[in-house]
Amino acid sequence: MQSLPLSADLIADANARAAEALAEDYEALGRKLSRSGISIDIIKDRVAGFSVAVPSWGAGRGGTRFAKFPIAGEPTNIHEKLEDCAVIQQLSRVTPRVSPHFPWDKVSDYAALREEAASLGLGFDAVNSNTFQDQPGQAHSYNTGSLSSTIEATRLQAVEHNIECIEIGKQLGSRDLTVWVGDGTNFPGQQDLGRSLDRYLDAAAQVYAALPDDWRMLLEHKMFEPAFYSTVISDWGSSILAAQELGPKAKCLVDLGHHAPNVNIEQIVARLHRFGKLGGFHFNDSKYGDDDLDSGSINPHQLFLVFNELVEAELNPRDGFDPAYMIDQSHNVTDPIESMLSSAEAITQCYAKALLVDRAALHAAQQANDTMIAFQALRRAYTIDVSPIVAKAREDAGGAIDVLAAYRTSQWRNRKAQKRKTVGLGAGIV
Ligand code: RM4
Ligand code: MN
Ligand code: MN
């Protein structure tokens, strides 16, 4: 039995106030697009098929390593996080899955957790392991690294934790294990750069061997932080080499904030896809490093160019193109629900814009080396305001036309502030 957090009346009332304007805008955009031979309804139907998972850890205020400023009513456990994710899904209709992180989201009964999520209209996405922090009572510290540690018992503990995550994921209905390790060094000479990768590959192969047939292992690279001189899986090159060595079920995951500054991320996407190794995404935005800012808030054009490659990849699937899309953000100064609503909308809008690119014209111009016309094919799609398409897809699916207005009307956070316990201070997610 489903018991959704917001009442259907609340969404219907909010939509009643916005429906007439949306119908007008949708019709006007439809007329404009039809002049270019595009059916707005077909684009809207493809947009309706798009979804992106939300991270359980993004439901709380993230903070930085300096401080975390909690807000009243923020969730403090997986059950409350699921409730908040259900609010995001109810309003946006584009975030039907939650990506859990262990041991943060540990419970005693995962079958019950799966049912609880289903009753809130949610499923589970990739399971994330955590060998970048020590947990109370843990036998071996990760202060020497995890899968690449020089200490065998530590490596074994990290392997076992990942296998435990797979076991949990099976019960939750997940099909992907995302592995990001904090392993690396702060000093030249601290570790042998070749041997540490050998140890990582050896341990990762033990995790890989425990994957069920229909599972994938998503390797997430990150250039720096918490290690600041070298990291063991530092970039997409290390990631694809490791994935190729591990086998066909190993793929690469691109977190938009995990690259060297100014790297051409859309080209990385195209490269990984070319070799059948693009497994997933962590969407966020970044100005300096792994800033985990809201998707599309800093560089929306880059997000569009990434989606342009993803739409190309959809048209040219290699090795079962099916990337796991997920938001991975740290919400330091906003209500996390509002950030994820706004981010899910920004991400979906970039997908819609990428669908509007006249690919025949683009490819012809590329072939003819007509640079300006090729660029204009992208520019034309990027400058179209696709918000009526995305809002209409939401409305059709029972979501809110104006997600933020409906959320504010619901008074969700204030209501939860009366019931949920206060979150402690401290550093947050980095
Ligand atoms: C890392 C990375 C991982 C996430 C953690 C919380 O920087 O992005 O995906 O699991 O943060
Ligand atoms: Mn990430
Ligand atoms: Mn990150």
Side-chain angles (χ1 to χ4, degrees):
M1 242 255 311
Q2 285 216 331
S3 59
L4 302 178
L6 301 180
S7 80
D9 286 352
L10 175 116
I11 298 175
D13 290 350
N15 282 356
R17 293 190 286 276
E20 206 180 303
L22 173 61
E24 263 177 40
D25 293 348
Y26 187 78
E27 209 187 300
L29 180 57
R31 278 199 301 273
K32 176 183 159 76
L33 294 177
S34 73
R35 285 197 292 275
S36 314
I38 298 172
S39 154
I40 192 170
D41 287 331
I42 291 179
I43 301 292
K44 185 202 59 176
D45 289 347
R46 289 190 64 187
V47 167
F50 179 82
S51 64
V52 57
V54 292
S56 63
W57 62 100
R61 283 269 280 234
T64 66
R65 65 177 166 277
F66 297 102
K68 169 176 162 151
F69 301 102
I71 49 168
E74 79 172 89
T76 57
N77 55 49
I78 182 64
H79 310 288
E80 293 175 350
K81 288 175 183 175
L82 286 177
E83 256 196 319
D84 285 12
C85 293
V87 169
I88 301 168
Q89 163 63 356
Q90 242 193 307
L91 295 170
S92 75
R93 308 309 299 168
V94 71
T95 59
R97 292 174 310 281
V98 177
S99 192
H101 219 314
F102 295 102
W104 293 339
D105 296 326
K106 215 164 181 162
V107 295
S108 54
D109 184 346
Y110 291 101
L113 191 69
R114 187 177 182 175
E115 266 174 41
E116 183 182 329
S119 74
L120 290 164
L122 297 169
F124 285 98
D125 206 83
V127 194
N128 299 260
S129 59
N130 177 345
T131 60
F132 47 87
Q133 284 177 332
D134 287 345
Q135 306 301 328
Q138 186 178 302
H140 307 281
S141 171
Y142 291 127
N143 63 2
T144 62
S146 59
L147 293 175
S148 78
S149 170
T150 51
I151 301 165
E152 192 182 358
T154 308
R155 294 200 298 278
L156 194 64
Q157 176 181 278
V159 168
E160 277 166 5
H161 169 65
N162 275 284
I163 294 175
E164 186 194 357
C165 287
I166 296 173
E167 292 307 319
I168 295 171
K170 283 192 213 164
Q171 297 177 63
L172 294 179
S174 305
R175 295 238 314 271
D176 294 318
L177 170 71
T178 299
V179 182
W180 171 70
V181 293
D183 297 28
T185 67
N186 276 5
F187 289 89
Q190 183 183 338
Q191 287 271 323
D192 182 287
L193 298 177
R195 290 190 188 96
S196 55
L197 183 59
D198 285 343
R199 289 191 294 270
Y200 170 89
L201 287 170
D202 188 67
Q206 294 172 48
V207 177
Y208 185 91
L211 287 176
D213 287 347
D214 58 346
W215 272 60
R216 298 180 301 183
M217 184 168 167
L218 305 178
L219 310 183
E220 181 177 1
H221 65 269
K222 179 166 166 174
M223 178 136 278
F224 70 93
E225 198 193 33
F228 288 99
Y229 171 64
S230 72
T231 62
V232 69
I233 299 293
S234 50
D235 52 14
W236 74 276
S238 314
S239 182
I240 194 171
L241 288 169
Q244 281 173 338
E245 187 146 322
L246 287 172
K249 289 186 274 182
K251 307 262 179 189
C252 305
L253 183 140
V254 176
D255 182 312
L256 293 180
H258 287 192
H259 309 266
N262 302 322
V263 154
N264 185 334
I265 299 178
E266 55 272 22
Q267 189 176 33
I268 293 173
V269 171
R271 287 282 187 275
L272 291 174
H273 175 61
R274 166 64 183 76
F275 294 96
K277 284 298 190 191
L278 186 63
F281 265 88
H282 280 179
F283 289 111
N284 50 50
D285 215 335
S286 136
K287 182 132 182 89
Y288 302 104
D290 188 23
D291 307 338
D292 283 332
L293 298 172
D294 287 17
S295 301
S297 63
I298 304 291
N299 193 345
H301 192 238
Q302 173 180 266
L303 189 58
F304 162 72
L305 293 175
V306 164
F307 270 102
N308 179 51
E309 293 307 324
L310 293 171
V311 169
E312 283 286 344
E314 269 182 17
L315 299 173
N316 280 301
R318 285 173 197 260
D319 198 22
F321 176 72
D322 182 23
Y325 292 137
M326 209 195 84
I327 294 174
D328 183 6
Q329 300 175 168
S330 179
H331 310 109
N332 304 333
V333 293
T334 51
D335 177 328
I337 291 182
E338 295 197 354
S339 267
M340 285 200 272
L341 285 170
S342 155
S343 300
E345 183 163 58
I347 291 165
T348 315
Q349 286 180 357
C350 282
Y351 177 57
K353 285 179 190 226
L355 291 175
L356 291 179
V357 172
D358 183 342
R359 300 233 160 241
L362 174 66
H363 296 158
Q366 288 169 340
Q367 186 60 30
N369 295 298
D370 193 335
T371 308
M372 184 49 72
I373 295 301
F375 171 61
Q376 291 302 323
L378 296 183
R379 172 55 56 88
R380 260 202 317 280
Y382 179 65
T383 53
I384 295 172
D385 176 7
V386 294
S387 52
I389 300 178
V390 176
K392 184 81 175 75
R394 268 200 308 270
E395 184 192 27
D396 291 355
I401 294 173
D402 183 337
V403 283
L404 287 176
Y407 175 65
R408 294 244 165 149
T409 309
S410 78
Q411 290 288 309
W412 175 259
R413 195 62 75 192
N414 290 344
R415 284 192 279 134
K416 292 294 136 183
Q418 317 299 316
K419 297 203 174 111
R420 292 177 178 171
K421 68 172 199 276
T422 315
V423 184
L425 301 171
I429 296 170
V430 291

